Amino acid sequence: MKRDLHRNAAQSSERHSWIGNLRDIPWLARATSHIPPAEFGRYLIIGSFNTLFGYATFATFTALLARVMPVSYLVAILLASPINITVAFLGYKWFVFRTKGNYLKEWIRCFAVYGSGTLGSLVLLPILVAVLHYGLGMQKSAPYVAGALMTGIGVIYNFFGHKNYSFKADKTDAADSIIPKN
C-alpha cells in the first residue's frame, strides 16, 4: 500500500515537473499565464467531446445531403452549427467556466463567437476543399479533411472567444458578488 502511494506521488511529481518545464519557455509562459490550468484542462475534455460531436453532425449532414446537392458541406455546416453550439454551450457553462445564471445572455454570446467562426469557415472551407480536391487530388474526402482542419483552427479561436466574451462576467455581475444585498 505504501509503495503504491510513493509510486503515485512520484508519477504525479513527474507530471507536474513536465508541465513546469513547459512554463519555463518564456513565450509559452506569457501566452498561458492568464489561463487557469484546471479551467483549460476542463476545456480540453469538454472541447474534445464537442469536437467529436460537432464533426459527427457535420459529416452526417454532409453525407445525407451529398445525395441531393453538389456542395452539401456548406449546407451541412449551417444545419449542424445550431445543434453543435447549443451542446457546446451547455458543456462549457456547466463544466468549464462554471458560470451561474445568465443562460440566454451567455447562449447568445456563445452563438456570436461560434457564428463569427462559422462565417470564417464558410469563406475558408470552399477554398480549402478546392485546394485539397484539385491541388492534392483528394476526391470525395476533400470536404471531410477540410472540415477536420478547420475544426483545429476553431478550437483555439473558440477558447479565447468564450473565455473573454461568452462567459466573461460583466462588471455589474462582479459588483453584485462583492457588494452584499440587503
Side-chain angles (χ1 to χ4, degrees):
M1 179 81 170
K2 279 187 175 181
R3 190 177 305 152
D4 289 338
L5 290 174
H6 290 296
R7 185 170 12 113
N8 289 343
Q11 288 173 346
S12 177
S13 176
E14 287 174 20
R15 266 187 257 128
H16 291 296
S17 67
W18 181 77
I19 292 169
N21 291 339
L22 286 178
R23 293 199 180 213
D24 291 340
I25 301 169
W27 67 268
L28 187 58
R30 281 191 306 274
T32 61
S33 64
H34 64 284
I35 303 170
E39 182 180 82
F40 191 69
R42 291 189 308 266
Y43 176 79
L44 290 176
I45 292 167
I46 296 300
S48 296
F49 169 78
N50 291 338
T51 300
L52 293 173
F53 181 82
Y55 187 73
T57 57
F58 166 77
T60 300
F61 280 124
T62 299
L64 292 173
L65 295 171
R67 300 174 185 150
V68 295
M69 62 180 54
V71 288
S72 60
Y73 58 88
L74 291 177
V75 176
I77 201 168
L78 292 173
L79 293 174
S81 289
I83 297 166
N84 298 338
I85 290 169
T86 302
V87 169
F89 163 74
L90 294 172
Y92 292 141
K93 178 161 184 62
W94 293 338
F95 301 112
V96 178
F97 301 107
R98 298 178 177 175
T99 59
K100 305 289 183 209
N102 299 317
Y103 275 83
L104 182 60
K105 183 179 184 178
E106 290 175 349
W107 185 67
I108 290 169
R109 286 180 172 186
C110 205
F111 258 87
V113 169
Y114 278 125
S116 63
T118 299
L119 289 175
S121 292
L122 286 172
V123 171
L124 294 175
L125 197 59
I127 296 167
L128 192 52
V129 168
V131 167
L132 293 171
H133 183 78
Y134 298 109
L136 298 178
M138 294 182 177
Q139 302 301 317
K140 292 181 180 181
S141 63
Y144 301 99
V145 174
L149 292 171
M150 292 302 298
T151 297
I153 294 167
V155 167
I156 297 163
Y157 173 81
N158 292 331
F159 174 76
F160 288 106
H162 293 316
K163 178 162 183 58
N164 297 315
Y165 181 68
S166 300
F167 299 100
K168 183 178 182 178
D170 288 339
K171 291 180 182 180
T172 56
D173 294 341
D176 288 344
S177 64
I178 295 170
I179 300 168
K181 293 181 181 178
N182 292 333

